[in-house]
Amino acid sequence: MLSERIQIIRSEFDSDISKVSDLKDLENVRIKYLSRNGEISTLFEDLKTATKEEKPLVGKSLNELRNYATTQFNLLKENLETASSSTDEKIDITLPGITKILGSKHLLTQTLDEIKSIFKGLGFSILEGPELESDYNNFEALNFPSDHPARDMQDTFFINKEFLLRTHTSPVQIRVMSSHKPPVRAIMPGRVYRNEAVSSRSYCMFHQVEGLYVDSGVTFAELKGTLVSFAQQFYGEGLNYRFRPSFFPFTEPSAEMDITCYLCHGKGCKVCKQTGWLEILGCGMVDPNVFGFVDYDSEKYTGYAFGMGIERTAMLKYGISDIRVFFENDIRFLKQF
Ligand code: PHE
């Protein structure tokens, strides 16, 4: 009798549990079968009335029924719970998103881009050389003999006797001329290093742009024309400029180019040290001795070269008074440009 009822309850349980669609249904199934007064507990009560012979067998199948029902219940409960937790999770689309802060080009990159585009317009190509240079390219072939006092102008980080961190971009001139026959017309931007005390006006690393044009019949007038055209495009029309005699071992004659002080417009102030002028670059006609080092015929070819610091150029154009701000990566400075 009891074993038949066990069969019936089991199939009823199967049918009920197969209809469960949510946790509420499931709870009802639990109450109906597994609670203290549920069908299965009632069967256990009835077991007490079974005969001695019946008891072991019926007891066993009753235990099996209870284990079966409990396992089914637990399994379904787990499934329903995970399903409900994933659908309960609502996305609040009105919440503000995580703002992505867009970076921008560093002022030095912007300045260099502008310089490059002006010189491209004037027919120059763009070349680069390594920062770790030989003493030969950085000094020797640029007409600085090893005991030449002009080496003192550029405090050098030496790696060993033969190699150093380049102190200017001029060694790229040597590389270009050693590997190309004239005509060459290129600008050569890059980093340079000097073993100087860091201050508002100098840093141990900075950037320069070198320029070189060699062909037959290149004149100082062309040098001036090119640089004046550059200065007008870069600093703006209406500026006065002048070329002052200067000295570099690798150019002869050499000059420095000044423009009217942007602050006082030539009247004299602190920035221009009361002169009314600001130096923007060094330049000159390539010294025939340099041509000798690169196997150019100095009877046939002439050329000019110039070099400017990119930090200095940006400082002059934007009125920045401390070179260190370029390397501090302070977002308050960088985002102004
Ligand atoms: N290399 C020089 C400097 O660093 C600048 C320069 C370049 C001067 C080319 C003349 C010609 O000071």
Side-chain angles (χ1 to χ4, degrees):
M1 246 35 72
L2 205 49
S3 53
E4 273 167 28
R5 278 180 53 214
I6 291 174
Q7 288 300 315
I8 294 165
I9 302 267
R10 185 183 170 124
S11 56
E12 277 178 11
F13 172 82
D14 277 342
S15 124
D16 281 349
I17 205 155
S18 70
K19 288 180 206 136
V20 166
S21 61
D22 56 24
L23 286 164
K24 222 162 131 196
D25 292 349
L26 187 66
E27 178 61 6
N28 290 334
V29 172
R30 189 191 66 80
I31 293 167
K32 184 169 173 191
Y33 295 93
L34 292 163
S35 67
R36 199 183 288 169
N37 300 316
E39 303 273 13
I40 294 173
S41 311
T42 316
L43 289 176
F44 272 102
E45 281 300 311
D46 296 347
L47 185 60
K48 291 173 188 158
T49 63
T51 61
K52 256 197 181 151
E53 298 75 44
E54 260 184 332
K55 250 185 193 164
L57 220 74
V58 179
K60 197 179 161 214
S61 54
L62 197 49
N63 270 329
E64 274 170 12
L65 173 63
R66 188 176 52 189
N67 290 342
Y68 169 76
T70 314
T71 321
Q72 293 297 307
F73 168 83
N74 285 336
L75 268 176
L76 192 54
K77 189 173 175 212
E78 211 175 289
N79 284 346
L80 287 172
E81 274 172 357
T82 52
S84 77
S85 73
S86 54
T87 52
D88 274 1
E89 191 188 318
K90 296 217 173 63
I91 297 168
D92 183 353
I93 55 163
T94 64
L95 278 175
I98 301 163
T99 350
K100 290 218 168 73
I101 301 169
L102 269 190
S104 58
K105 279 192 184 170
H106 193 281
L107 179 58
L108 285 177
T109 312
Q110 291 179 39
T111 307
L112 178 59
D113 283 351
E114 204 182 334
I115 296 172
K116 278 181 184 168
S117 99
I118 294 172
F119 280 106
K120 267 191 194 165
L122 293 169
F124 286 74
S125 47
I126 294 154
L127 297 171
E128 279 179 21
E131 292 166 28
L132 182 63
E133 255 302 359
S134 62
D135 184 275
Y136 177 83
N137 285 338
N138 195 85
F139 289 128
E140 202 74 28
L142 286 167
N143 207 25
F144 290 80
S146 54
D147 55 355
H148 197 288
R151 286 191 178 208
D152 282 353
M153 281 157 62
Q154 304 180 354
D155 298 320
T156 311
F157 287 112
F158 281 96
I159 304 295
N160 54 33
K161 271 199 136 167
E162 215 182 320
F163 291 99
L164 43 78
L165 292 178
R166 66 180 177 191
T167 57
H168 51 174
T169 42
S170 302
V172 194
Q173 289 187 34
I174 301 300
R175 290 177 174 269
V176 173
M177 291 191 281
S178 311
S179 57
H180 295 74
K181 289 279 147 238
V184 293
R185 179 154 44 181
I187 58 164
M188 300 147 248
R191 280 192 182 148
V192 302
Y193 299 83
R194 289 190 195 178
N195 191 4
E196 281 176 4
V198 171
S199 73
S200 63
R201 315 190 91 237
S202 62
Y203 204 76
C204 48
M205 182 278 299
F206 57 99
H207 299 75
Q208 285 188 335
V209 184
E210 194 79 9
L212 177 70
Y213 177 36
V214 182
D215 202 349
S216 50
V218 177
T219 63
F220 198 90
E222 280 181 84
L223 166 64
K224 282 169 74 179
T226 303
L227 293 179
V228 167
S229 166
F230 160 75
Q232 283 171 345
Q233 291 179 64
F234 187 83
Y235 291 101
E237 301 270 339
L239 280 174
N240 277 328
Y241 53 85
R242 69 176 185 187
F243 288 81
R244 244 180 324 104
S246 184
F247 173 80
F248 301 102
F250 41 94
T251 47
E252 182 59 37
S254 305
E256 272 163 332
M257 182 179 180
D258 295 344
I259 55 169
T260 339
C261 175
Y262 62 90
L263 254 192
C264 61
H265 304 285
K267 286 192 206 83
C269 68
K270 238 172 87 183
V271 170
C272 60
K273 294 191 196 129
Q274 311 303 331
T275 61
W277 295 99
L278 293 169
E279 179 205 320
I280 61 165
L281 53 81
C283 59
M285 301 304 290
V286 180
D287 193 301
N289 283 348
V290 174
F291 283 152
F293 281 101
V294 296
D295 264 341
Y296 274 16
D297 183 350
S298 58
E299 295 295 321
K300 215 165 142 191
Y301 298 110
T302 51
Y304 64 72
F306 57 88
M308 67 187 104
I310 304 179
E311 283 79 1
R312 186 177 167 74
T313 304
M315 286 165 84
L316 291 176
K317 180 158 176 170
Y318 299 101
I320 298 162
S321 55
D322 193 324
I323 191 171
R324 291 169 291 199
V325 292
F326 289 106
F327 311 112
E328 281 165 354
N329 282 334
D330 186 331
I331 199 102
R332 292 166 301 178
F333 167 72
L334 296 176
K335 73 178 180 196
Q336 292 176 49
F337 303 98

